[in-house]
Structure formats: structure tokens, C-alpha cells
Amino acid sequence: MQTYRFREYSFLHVYCLEQPIFSTRAHVFQIDPNTKKNWVPTSKHAVTVSYFYDSTRNVYRIISLDGSKAIINSTITPNMTFTKTSQKFGQWADSRANTVYGLGFSSEHHLSKFAEKFQEFKEAARLAKEKSQEKMELTSTPSQESAGGDLQSPLTPESINGTDDERTPDVTQNSEPRVEPTQNALPFSHSSAISKHWEAELATLKGNNAKLTAALLESTANVKQWKQQLAAYQEEAERLHKRVTELECVSSQANAVHTHKTELNQTIQELEETLKMKEEEIERLKQEIDNARELQEQRDSLTQKLQEVEIRNKDLEGQLSDLEQRLEKSQNEQEAFRNNLKTLLEILDGKIFELTELRDNLAKLLECS
């Protein structure tokens, strides 16, 4: 019962007394414990997620409330890692709670800011753990005078305000340290000095025990008052939650109008872009038509030139045909003239042969006479 009250005191201490270091709003999810794959929403709407620093235990926590229900109570440890799975969603695993938390933010900026704070407080938790370990090593190192036995460690505020995984020891005024004897007996004078030392230590522990018991009684007396304050805070939170719900309804209508306006603006912008593209297409088609007209004019001009060339070609062909006919006629005439010359030459050769014979005969006649 006392342990439960002290844990409740620690939780109320964080919510009521400690101020958040950093706060943001996000949709909270937890991994499905059955499938370990699907996300289960733990809040119907965006809630406040805050970083708290517990100066009593020197730890950092991530805490979020949905009304009066704590949906996140995660202590940051050096082994934790915050992972960005998308532009607006991040997650981290809490081994103590045996779950994986997921946060959906409204913008990438909020996600980046939360991740930066997580890394910052994780580093601070690591440094605090190292200092705590160094302190524990220094306090747990036995001296030469305490080699004779072991004492039970006294209760501290850290042991009272422990986490849910730690067990809080009961505080009793009559608890006394027990000294285990060693096998080798020490000299009487040395043993007497050690006894006085342990008696002084015992008196100190009893004084600390009395102070812690008084603090425990005072804390127990204040629990009722804190419960009343918590009930008042819960009522205020419920009223604020209803007010937020009303404002969200109004905001949802405004968001719907804004969304419709945004869609219309987007549609108008798309139509303007389409109109601009059509105008560019019309200009391009006009330019192509002008180019086609120029090509048609060039084609008509070339066609006319081609017709003129064809007509001229036909005239040249006619002239060529006439020249060929005339050439053929001239060749025929030359052939006939050549044949006639040949005939005349043959006749002339025959006459010359006859004249030669006649001359020879006349010469013979002259010689005979």
C-alpha cells in the first residue's frame, strides 16, 4: 500500500509539480500486441505529448494524457532510438512497457523537432546514468575499515520514487545493519575502533531512517490533497476536452470549407495550366500552318517551274527529234552520194583501164610501124 502511494506520488509529482520541457501535438499509436505489425490508435484526435524532467530521480520522461488517461508514460533510456519511418511519423520502442509507441505529426518540422529533443534528452540520460554508475562504484567500493562485514543500504528518495519495474522496500524504524563476522579475529583495539565506527554509522542510518519515515508520513498525508487536486484537474481537463471537441467540430467545418476552397483553387489552377497548354498548342499549330502555307507556295512555285521545264523539255525533244530526222536524212543522202561516187570511181577506173590498154596498143602500133 505504501509502495502504491509513493508511485502515485511520483506520477502526480510529474503531472502537477514538474513543468514540461518541450510539448507538441500528435496522434498517438501503439503496436498491436498480437500481430506486432499493425498500429492501434490510442487517441481519437491529436493530443499533447510532452517531455518531463524528474529531478528527484534524474530521469527524462515522455508523457501524454487523453483526458484523464495516461496513454504514454515512457522513461527515456540511453538504449532507446527514435526512428523516422516517414515524413510525418516516428516511433520508438519501450522495453519496460513492452510496447512500441508511434506518433503522427501534422508536419515534417514538428517531427524533426521532436526527434532532436529525443536525441538531446537521450544523451542527457546517458550522461546521468554514467554519473550515477560512477557514484555507485565510489560508494560501493569497500574501505579497509569496512572489510569486516556488510551493511544493509539505507533508504533513499530514489528508492522510494522508483519505477514500476522496481520494488520499493518498506521503511521501518527498527531496521538495524547486520555485521557478519570474519573468519580471522582482529585485535581487540582494532575491533573496538571498528565497533565505534559502525555505531556512528548506525546512528547516522537511524537518523536518516527517521527522516525518511517522517517524509513518508508527510507524503501519505498529502496524497489525499493531491488526489483532490487531481480530481479537480481531471474535471478541468474534461471541460477543456469538451471545449476542444466543440472547437474541433467548428474547426472541422472550417477545414472542410478550406479544403473545398483549396480543391477549387487547385482545379482553377489546373484549368489555367490546361488553357495555357492549349494556347501554346494553338500557337504551335498556327506556326505549323504558316510553315505549311510557305511550303505549299514553294511547292506551287516548284510545280510551275517543273511544268515549264517539262514544256521546254518537250520542245527540246521535238527539236532533237527533228535534228535526228535531219541527221538521218543527211546520213542517207551522204550514203547515196558515197554510193554514187563509188559507182563513178568504178566507171572511171574502167575507163582509165580501157584508155591505158588503148595507149599501150597505140604504142605498140607505133613501134611496129
Side-chain angles (χ1 to χ4, degrees), residues 255-292:
N255 290 334
V257 174
H258 181 70
T259 303
H260 186 62
K261 182 179 178 181
T262 303
E263 292 177 354
L264 289 177
N265 291 333
Q266 186 176 1
T267 304
I268 292 172
Q269 186 176 1
E270 292 177 355
L271 291 175
E272 288 178 352
E273 292 178 355
T274 304
L275 180 61
K276 186 177 180 180
M277 292 174 62
K278 294 297 183 182
E279 290 178 352
E280 292 177 354
E281 184 71 17
I282 290 172
E283 291 295 330
R284 187 178 62 82
L285 291 175
K286 286 182 179 179
Q287 188 174 2
E288 290 182 356
I289 290 173
D290 293 338
N291 294 332

Side-chain angles (χ1 to χ4, degrees), residues 100-333:
V100 179
Y101 293 104
L103 295 180
F105 296 88
S106 59
S107 65
E108 186 177 358
H109 172 72
H110 290 84
L111 173 60
S112 301
K113 192 67 176 178
F114 188 88
E116 290 176 2
K117 291 295 181 182
F118 191 98
Q119 186 66 26
E120 177 182 346
F121 298 143
K122 171 186 172 183
E123 184 66 19
R126 184 185 66 81
L127 295 176
K129 183 178 179 181
E130 291 179 355
K131 291 181 180 179
S132 178
Q133 288 178 352
E134 291 176 358
K135 185 176 180 180
M136 289 177 62
E137 289 176 357
L138 292 175
T139 56
S140 63
T141 303
S143 61
Q144 293 181 356
E145 293 181 354
S146 62
D150 297 331
L151 289 175
Q152 293 181 355
S153 59
L155 294 176
T156 61
E158 286 77 8
S159 64
I160 292 175
N161 294 328
T163 61
D164 294 340
D165 296 334
E166 299 171 350
R167 298 182 58 186
T168 306
D170 294 334
V171 180
T172 58
Q173 287 184 336
N174 298 325
S175 61
E176 295 182 359
R178 180 171 55 88
V179 179
E180 295 293 338
T182 57
Q183 294 180 358
N184 298 326
L186 296 173
F188 178 76
S189 60
H190 195 188
S191 298
S192 177
I194 292 176
S195 297
K196 291 181 180 180
H197 173 73
W198 287 128
E199 287 176 359
E201 290 288 337
L202 179 59
T204 303
L205 292 176
K206 285 183 177 181
N208 291 336
N209 244 348
K211 292 179 182 179
L212 291 175
T213 303
L216 174 61
L217 295 175
E218 183 182 357
S219 300
T220 304
N222 292 331
V223 165
K224 185 177 180 180
Q225 181 182 358
W226 290 333
K227 283 184 177 180
Q228 293 176 355
Q229 291 180 359
L230 178 61
Y233 291 148
Q234 288 177 350
E235 292 178 359
E236 183 68 16
E238 188 66 24
R239 186 183 66 81
L240 292 175
H241 178 67
K242 291 180 180 179
R243 180 59 179 167
V244 168
T245 304
E246 295 175 357
L247 293 175
E248 284 182 350
C249 292
V250 176
S251 178
S252 63
Q253 295 177 359
N255 290 334
V257 174
H258 181 70
T259 303
H260 186 62
K261 182 179 178 181
T262 303
E263 292 177 354
L264 289 177
N265 291 333
Q266 186 176 1
T267 304
I268 292 172
Q269 186 176 1
E270 292 177 355
L271 291 175
E272 288 178 352
E273 292 178 355
T274 304
L275 180 61
K276 186 177 180 180
M277 292 174 62
K278 294 297 183 182
E279 290 178 352
E280 292 177 354
E281 184 71 17
I282 290 172
E283 291 295 330
R284 187 178 62 82
L285 291 175
K286 286 182 179 179
Q287 188 174 2
E288 290 182 356
I289 290 173
D290 293 338
N291 294 332
R293 287 177 179 174
E294 292 179 359
L295 292 175
Q296 184 67 28
E297 292 176 357
Q298 292 179 1
R299 179 176 173 276
D300 294 339
S301 176
L302 292 175
T303 302
Q304 185 177 0
K305 289 181 179 180
L306 180 62
Q307 290 177 354
E308 293 176 356
V309 169
E310 288 179 351
I311 293 172
R312 186 176 179 183
N313 190 19
K314 287 181 180 179
D315 294 339
L316 292 175
E317 286 180 353
Q319 293 178 4
L320 181 61
S321 178
D322 293 338
L323 290 174
E324 286 178 349
Q325 290 178 1
R326 291 171 62 183
L327 179 61
E328 184 178 0
K329 183 177 180 182
S330 176
Q331 287 178 352
N332 292 332
E333 290 177 353

